[in-house]
Amino acid sequence: MDAKTGLFYVFAALLLFAAFRVITARNPVHAALYLVLAFFQAAAVWILLKAEFLAITLVLVYVGAVMVLFLFVVMMLDINLDSVRKGFWRHFPLAGSVGAIIALEMSYVLMGGFREPPKAASAAGQIGAQVSNTKELGKMLYTQYLYPLEVAAVILLVAMIAAIALTMRERKDSKYINPSDQIRVKRGDRLTLVKMKSVVAPVAVAAALEERKS
């Protein structure tokens, strides 16, 4: 076994562990961090497959943008963990069956790829070595798939605005101050002068009480 195969097994094992912890971690923040670890391991596997552009895109887009948005929403929203855990075992059979179907489909596709003749695979590798993946993907994205790319960008922008709107809602356990009210405040609103009667000194009061007792 060469070094490349050994690295593949290491990255794949870490990827499976991180994916398993994503669905078993009780804390949503921990689950999101394990998902970040899974993305990094998937990017490492893509680098081993000589798909550097996809690996960098995965790190920049998902780890650098989408997961930051997820963490922002999870940490800022007031999520009741007890209510989230209530329906876990009720939906577990459906989730397990869907996961089993996806695993069977992926195994069928992978086994079909392994059965590919070696000559065709070597020819495809030679053709792929002559073509730049980054250049071809850039041409496809900004020519043929320009409008879907813009639609995806708008959807991500709407998701960011919705996350900010959800975090800015009024909460009972936080003191929220409207910035516009702070700007429009006047001097008379901050300081109020109240007229009060003069207070007798405590020493004089004690002396008067002693005289009354005597």
Side-chain angles (χ1 to χ4, degrees), residues 8-88:
F8 171 77
Y9 283 117
V10 171
F11 294 147
L14 291 175
L15 176 60
L16 292 176
F17 170 75
F20 179 75
R21 288 297 296 161
V22 168
I23 61 176
T24 56
R26 296 184 177 182
N27 195 330
V29 178
H30 295 170
L33 293 177
Y34 277 115
L35 187 57
V36 171
L37 178 61
F39 285 151
F40 273 113
Q41 302 309 313
V45 173
W46 279 349
I47 290 176
L48 291 178
L49 296 175
K50 297 182 179 180
E52 296 85 1
F53 178 77
L54 294 178
I56 294 173
T57 304
L58 178 64
V59 173
L60 292 179
V61 176
Y62 284 93
V63 178
V66 177
M67 288 312 303
V68 172
L69 179 62
F70 285 172
L71 287 173
F72 179 77
V73 174
V74 169
M75 295 179 70
M76 295 300 292
L77 291 179
D78 189 10
I79 300 176
N80 189 3
L81 298 179
D82 296 331
S83 61
V84 173
R85 297 172 189 170
K86 287 181 180 178
F88 178 78

